[in-house]
Amino acid sequence: MLAYVLRRLAATIPVMLIVAVLVFLMLRLTPSDPAAIIAGDNANSEQVAEIRKRLGLDQPILTQFAIWSGKTLQGDLGESFFFKKQVTELILDRLEPTLSLAALTIVLAVVIAIPLGVLAAYRHGGWLDRIVMGFSVLGFSVPVFVIGYLLIYVFAIELNWLPVQGYQRIEQGAWGWLQRLILPALTLSVIYVALIARITRTSVLEVMNEDYIRTARAKGQTEGRVLTRHALANAAVPIVTVIGLGVALLIGGVVVTESVYTIPGLGRLTVDAVLARDYPTIQAVILLFSLAYVLINLVVDITYTFFDPRIRY
Amino acid sequence: MSIEALPAEIAEGPPTRRQAGTVRMLARNPSVVIGATIVAFLAIIGLLAPMLGTIDPAEINPVFRNKMPGAERTIRNEDGTKSTFVHRFGTDSLGRDIYSRVVYGARVSLVIGVTVAALSVAIGLVIGLVAGYVRWLDGIIMRFMDGLMAIPAILLAMGVVSLSRAGLLAVVVAIVIPEIPRVVRLVRAIVLSIREEPYVEAAITVGTPTPTLLVRHVLPNTVAPLIVQGTFICASAILIEAILSFLGIGIPPETPTWGNIMAEGRALFRIYPHNIFYPGVCLAFAVLAINMLGDGLRDTLDPRFAKRV
């Protein structure tokens, strides 16, 4: 088991290395001079040269990559052009809102989607099944920000139940924190619920015809236990896989949701960085989110043994 | 790598042979019919935009700012007569007619969706064929694709957009790049399984040159899955374009796109929700219709694929 974990961890290294190369090359592959883009339209040639030197762009490309990756591994992500701060500091500052939003969304999505998917499979072809399937197609099609504004309109403006926008740090009160996160998390969970409910339905449906389900029923097991202990437990692996893969959707959604609800998290930082062409920050955020995505999927792979003891490594 | 387990890429066997009467089968599938009808309707709207009672979508009118839907405005014609123009969907904070902008927005969205789908399928097909057929390149190409896929699509698109000046071309390129690896995977999986088929081995034995082999025996097997994949790419491209424009990093704001109309309506959303509502509904409808079309196409053209997803 430990050997497997280590081997898988090692396997993520080439993937992250390629991500790092891509992120590094991002600036160098531009048709125009990155230093000129950063300097802006009104810069004179001395300023451009100064920026080029500061970025180390006058060095050979391999040297540049070696210096850059060495620094990145030490946690030094450079200085933000726009915020005039260390990027690492900037990211740490924005981490809490994004992590809160993502965690709440995952919890919400799993709690809503799995029962829905199981019930849809159980009542296969019935009205609930149709609603769940219809919802899952709809969930993939309605853009995150449209859902966001719809929820704001209904719950914050018309009904006045929840605050419209903004964020409150958790140390300033958990209730205020939760109040401001409910709508964003609901918004973001829609597409995730659609994804998880759909896969739950499919994989539960697949195991429902297995012999052990019939056996469980024959020995007088209640339907609830048949569904949870026998059907869902055996359908867990694809569901967990999709929860991991869905993190990519989640990360995309975070960027948009944070903008809709004006949450000062990493997603908002990314948008601001792109608008300001703040390349060190853009590179850092892309690296960080990709690393998170790869690591989460690594963890998901490792949990397979827990969900399905037949899998041995 | 678990990323390889993406459900959309499960296609280990060659797709079933196209049956006679595919068109009839498609016409019997409700998803295809409904989806195709809505898409056709939107395409006609986009095409006929100037004739649908619209005015110039970029025309700014400071006097007629932030009007509610149904507001009337008198237009003085060049010959001195007056006529009334109704802002069916209201106007935005620059006095532009939202109805006209939404109608013209259909053009941009559909053009982007189709262009992105065509480009990513074409590029992905070539790379996938090479990866599947040229053994020594396979590893290199696929590791590179793994790296690309490890970057969440929207972030990758945002990164690419940040590299050049905002514009249609930059946005198209930015959406195409994250989609390519998905197509490559699909094509490569098909090629790898086709290689083992007896008819391909037979063709190799009788000395069919590789290009002919690829075109005559391998390529036809990729058509159905690629049509399906292309449809989904089209839907996701429309969504990503709207997201980029909404965030203010997509197509320049004077161009009427659904994302831009919504971006413009953000500031005054509490008072004038219609700026976001109308384009939002259109966008959701368009994407929903294309996704339905894709689901239906998958069920009819590629049943093996359908069973697994």
Side-chain angles (χ1 to χ4, degrees):
Chain A
M1 184 66 197
L2 186 69
Y4 172 73
V5 172
L6 288 177
R7 208 165 59 234
R8 285 303 323 272
L9 204 59
T12 60
I13 293 173
V15 175
M16 281 317 294
L17 191 70
I18 289 166
V19 173
V21 171
L22 287 171
V23 167
F24 169 78
L25 284 179
M26 213 180 95
L27 255 182
R28 277 76 184 174
L29 286 177
T30 44
S32 46
D33 181 4
I37 303 177
I38 292 159
D41 294 336
N42 301 323
N44 56 36
S45 57
E46 276 155 38
Q47 284 168 310
V48 174
E50 206 272 323
I51 288 174
R52 189 173 299 133
K53 199 159 177 221
R54 205 176 59 189
L55 290 175
L57 288 173
D58 45 358
Q59 312 254 357
I61 194 146
L62 277 174
T63 320
Q64 285 183 40
F65 183 68
I67 295 172
W68 178 79
S69 40
K71 278 187 176 173
T72 304
L73 283 174
Q74 289 166 30
D76 176 9
L77 296 162
E79 196 200 5
S80 154
F81 301 144
F82 180 67
F83 297 96
K84 305 285 175 215
K85 271 167 96 177
Q86 284 297 310
V87 174
T88 319
E89 206 181 308
L90 205 58
I91 285 177
L92 287 176
D93 215 35
R94 305 288 196 111
L95 209 54
E96 186 207 296
T98 302
L99 283 182
S100 312
L101 177 60
L104 198 63
T105 304
I106 294 181
V107 171
L108 212 62
V110 168
V111 168
I112 297 173
I114 291 186
L116 272 183
V118 172
L119 286 174
Y122 183 58
R123 293 262 176 246
H124 178 48
W127 58 269
L128 185 71
D129 188 22
R130 276 173 209 198
I131 291 176
V132 171
M133 285 310 280
F135 175 81
S136 80
V137 179
L138 203 67
F140 277 117
S141 309
V142 184
V144 182
F145 47 94
V146 175
I147 300 167
Y149 281 110
L150 201 70
L151 290 180
I152 294 182
Y153 189 72
V154 175
F155 292 103
I157 297 178
E158 288 293 307
L159 294 172
N160 211 0
W161 286 354
L162 292 162
V164 177
Q165 280 160 331
Y167 178 76
Q168 183 179 320
R169 290 196 174 263
I170 193 161
E171 64 260 24
Q172 287 171 290
W175 175 237
W177 170 81
L178 189 64
Q179 250 189 337
R180 283 171 180 78
L181 273 182
I182 291 174
L183 286 185
L186 257 181
T187 307
L188 193 50
S189 67
V190 169
I191 188 165
Y192 219 19
V193 168
L195 185 71
I196 300 173
R198 196 173 189 164
I199 208 80
T200 306
R201 173 187 173 274
T202 316
S203 41
V204 170
L205 210 55
E206 238 165 59
V207 300
M208 282 308 273
N209 293 324
E210 296 283 342
D211 290 342
Y212 51 78
I213 298 288
R214 197 183 46 201
T215 311
R217 282 183 173 148
K219 73 173 184 186
Q221 191 75 280
T222 59
E223 281 298 283
R225 277 187 74 81
V226 169
L227 281 179
T228 50
R229 291 287 306 148
H230 299 270
L232 187 59
N234 279 296
V237 168
I239 301 173
V240 180
T241 308
V242 149
I243 293 176
L245 293 173
V247 169
L249 286 178
L250 188 72
I251 292 171
V254 159
V255 175
V256 183
T257 312
E258 289 187 354
S259 293
V260 171
Y261 289 94
T262 54
I263 296 171
L266 285 177
R268 191 59 230 171
L269 178 67
T270 315
V271 178
D272 289 340
V274 171
L275 283 172
R277 314 210 171 247
D278 183 355
Y279 293 109
T281 312
I282 299 174
Q283 289 178 314
V285 176
I286 292 182
L287 264 184
L288 188 73
F289 274 128
S290 309
L291 183 66
Y293 178 51
V294 170
L295 287 183
I296 287 172
N297 280 291
L298 175 70
V299 173
V300 163
D301 274 9
I302 293 168
T303 58
Y304 285 167
T305 45
F306 171 74
F307 286 105
D308 189 350
R310 282 169 301 186
I311 298 178
R312 293 249 173 272
Y313 298 111
Chain B
M1 184 88 244
S2 64
I3 298 171
E4 281 171 24
L6 256 188
E9 274 87 46
I10 311 168
E12 5 101 290
T16 47
R17 261 160 234 95
R18 260 175 299 168
Q19 281 124 344
T22 309
V23 178
R24 214 177 313 138
M25 267 169 66
L26 285 176
R28 239 184 280 144
N29 185 307
S31 285
V32 172
V33 175
I34 299 172
T37 313
I38 300 177
V39 174
F41 178 69
L42 285 170
I44 292 171
I45 286 185
L47 220 59
L48 299 180
M51 285 172 255
L52 293 169
T54 54
I55 54 174
D56 180 4
E59 187 199 297
I60 293 173
N61 188 332
V63 184
F64 255 75
R65 291 194 316 250
N66 294 321
K67 291 295 173 211
M68 293 306 260
E72 284 179 12
R73 168 178 143 204
T74 316
I75 297 179
R76 201 182 296 266
N77 294 327
E78 271 167 25
D79 53 2
T81 56
K82 285 178 185 174
S83 57
T84 320
F85 180 80
V86 183
H87 292 289
R88 291 181 189 81
F89 293 178
T91 62
D92 67 10
S93 63
L94 295 172
R96 293 175 294 201
D97 181 43
I98 306 246
Y99 168 73
S100 308
R101 289 179 74 73
V102 169
V103 168
Y104 276 93
R107 276 186 179 185
V108 184
S109 287
L110 289 177
V111 165
I112 286 191
V114 172
T115 317
V116 169
L119 280 178
S120 18
V121 165
I123 301 172
L125 177 64
V126 173
I127 302 179
L129 283 179
V130 171
Y133 218 86
V134 186
R135 272 283 153 88
W136 63 274
L137 269 174
D138 188 30
I140 304 171
I141 293 180
M142 292 324 284
R143 291 297 80 72
F144 186 74
M145 293 297 149
D146 281 346
L148 267 186
M149 283 184 82
I151 307 175
I154 292 183
L155 277 187
L156 185 52
M158 288 171 77
V160 176
V161 162
S162 73
L163 294 178
S164 59
R165 274 164 224 286
L168 194 67
L169 182 69
V171 170
V172 167
V173 172
I175 308 175
V176 165
I177 291 177
E179 299 289 356
I180 290 176
R182 288 156 239 276
V183 182
V184 171
R185 283 237 143 108
L186 180 67
V187 174
R188 174 178 172 270
I190 295 169
V191 174
L192 286 184
S193 65
I194 301 277
R195 287 170 65 123
E196 312 299 325
E197 292 282 321
Y199 64 86
V200 174
E201 281 177 9
I204 295 172
T205 321
V206 297
T208 315
T210 310
T212 320
L213 186 81
L214 284 178
V215 172
R216 192 164 302 157
H217 300 291
V218 179
L219 216 52
N221 286 291
T222 62
V223 172
L226 284 182
I227 290 177
V228 174
Q229 186 79 357
T231 318
F232 289 128
I233 292 177
C234 177
S236 111
I238 291 179
L239 261 183
I240 296 181
E241 182 276 318
I243 287 173
L244 292 177
S245 297
F246 173 79
L247 293 173
I249 51 183
I251 295 179
E254 60 276 8
T255 314
T257 77
W258 293 333
N260 275 339
I261 307 170
M262 287 186 267
E264 213 281 323
R266 269 165 77 179
L268 294 171
F269 170 71
R270 293 192 202 189
I271 321 163
Y272 306 107
H274 61 268
N275 285 11
I276 289 197
F277 180 72
Y278 290 114
V281 169
C282 288
L283 180 61
F285 246 103
V287 178
L288 182 66
I290 300 173
N291 275 334
M292 282 175 73
L293 182 63
D295 278 342
L297 287 174
R298 185 186 55 202
D299 293 347
T300 9
L301 298 179
D302 206 356
R304 190 185 313 231
F305 194 79
K307 221 167 49 189
R308 301 292 298 264
V309 177

